[in-house]
Amino acid sequence: MSDIAGTTTELDVRLEKYRVELTGYCYRMLGSAFEAEDAVQDTMVRAWRSFDKFEGRSSLRSWLYRIATNVCLDMLNAGNKRARPMDLTAAAPLAQAALTPRPDNVWLEPMPDARVLPTVHDPAEAAVARESVRLAFVAALQQLPAKQRAVLILREVLAWKAQEVAELLDTSVASVNSALQRARATLAEAPVETKGELDEEHQALLERYVAAFEGYDMKALTALLAEDAIMTMPPFDLWLRGTPDITGFMTTIGASCADSRLVPVEANGSPAFAHYKPDPDNGGFAPWAVQVLEISEGRITGLHCFLDTARYFPLFGLPLHLDDQPA
């Protein structure tokens, strides 16, 4: 009995070693934090149940990726693909702003870095991993057919060889190369700008952003935003473009966010914050959004506010209330 228990524990440890990178793979495939974690759990269960059939012709890692790919492809057969508000509608001028929600399964979801970015010591490899979970890149992936998506991630993000991908997908090297070429062409039509680690200049920009947002200083905030910056607020399909509409929204429909607090978090390889706004009923601050920022050329180009706090704050390990604290 002890031998069986020991073998089970050893297998659990071996499988668990791959959980973070598999979650990253499934997140890129599915665009959903929760579906990705479900897919990985399904992968682990299938691997555990069929391990006696694993013959070792490939590595354990390759075998797990084969299972995870099949799980994701099955999930994607339902036809749903995740999107951002700007993938679905045109920007609304402030005068026509209306908060119309759509179902949860429509939206690309934020993801904590710790759940998808394994520890690596090569700075270049770490940079590729971060860039490949940025919201814009994951959104672009959702435009690809499922198998092209898998090929692009395996070849370009995870640096698998074409022969390895062909074996995983039970296809030919020629088919893999063709799928990769088509996927690259599609993504080239929707270019994605990516950045590496935040330098001191960007860190200073974030500090100024926190001060401007918590002080609800629209003049200071305008100085930090690119002229054509975008603001999104899933689950609402409304999105705004340009500093006049963004700051105008914040001082009208969004005026209750004055005197908020921002708590730094790590999401999608990007600067991010947990946004708490004043809680008039209970005192202190109540959760309002997970903000994920996009930065380019010293300005904030995207402010993506994910408002479903009942789902996202526990995902990020965030408290559901903050006590009063000095600004």
Side-chain angles (χ1 to χ4, degrees), residues 20-21 23-25 27-28 111-118 133 268:
V20 172
E21 64 173 283
T23 305
Y25 175 63
Y27 174 66
R28 296 176 184 101
M111 180 59 115
D113 285 359
R115 292 179 182 253
V116 292
L117 297 180
V133 294
N268 292 88

Side-chain angles (χ1 to χ4, degrees), residues 251-280:
T251 54
T252 53
I253 299 173
S256 63
C257 290
D259 300 316
S260 288
R261 297 291 178 265
L262 298 181
V263 176
V265 295
E266 295 182 337
N268 292 88
S270 303
F273 298 93
H275 173 191
Y276 293 83
K277 73 174 186 176
D279 184 347

Side-chain angles (χ1 to χ4, degrees), residues 14 28 51 63 69 133 204 236 239 245 254 262 267 271 314:
R14 291 178 67 189
R28 296 176 184 101
F51 190 72
W63 184 60
T69 300
V133 294
F236 301 116
W239 63 282
D245 279 356
L262 298 181

Side-chain angles (χ1 to χ4, degrees), residues 159-226:
W160 285 39
K161 296 177 181 178
Q163 181 63 45
E164 293 173 322
V165 177
E167 291 172 2
L168 182 145
L169 293 174
D170 290 324
T171 189
S172 66
V173 170
S175 293
V176 167
N177 289 336
S178 176
L180 180 60
Q181 185 176 12
R182 294 196 302 275
R184 284 172 172 167
T186 300
L187 262 61
E189 295 174 4
V192 176
E193 186 167 356
T194 57
K195 295 291 179 185
E197 285 279 14
L198 290 175
D199 56 22
E200 290 183 6
E201 181 182 350
H202 282 171
Q203 293 290 1
L205 173 66
L206 294 179
E207 291 173 7
R208 292 167 60 202
Y209 170 75
V210 171
F213 194 96
E214 292 188 343
Y216 234 53
D217 182 339
M218 294 301 118
K219 182 176 180 181
L221 191 62
T222 297
L224 303 176
L225 295 173

Side-chain angles (χ1 to χ4, degrees), residues 10 24 40 69 73 79 132 183 228 231 236-237 284 287 294:
E10 179 186 351
V40 172
T69 300
L73 292 177
S132 67
D228 59 350
M231 181 178 181
F236 301 116
D237 59 13
E294 294 172 332

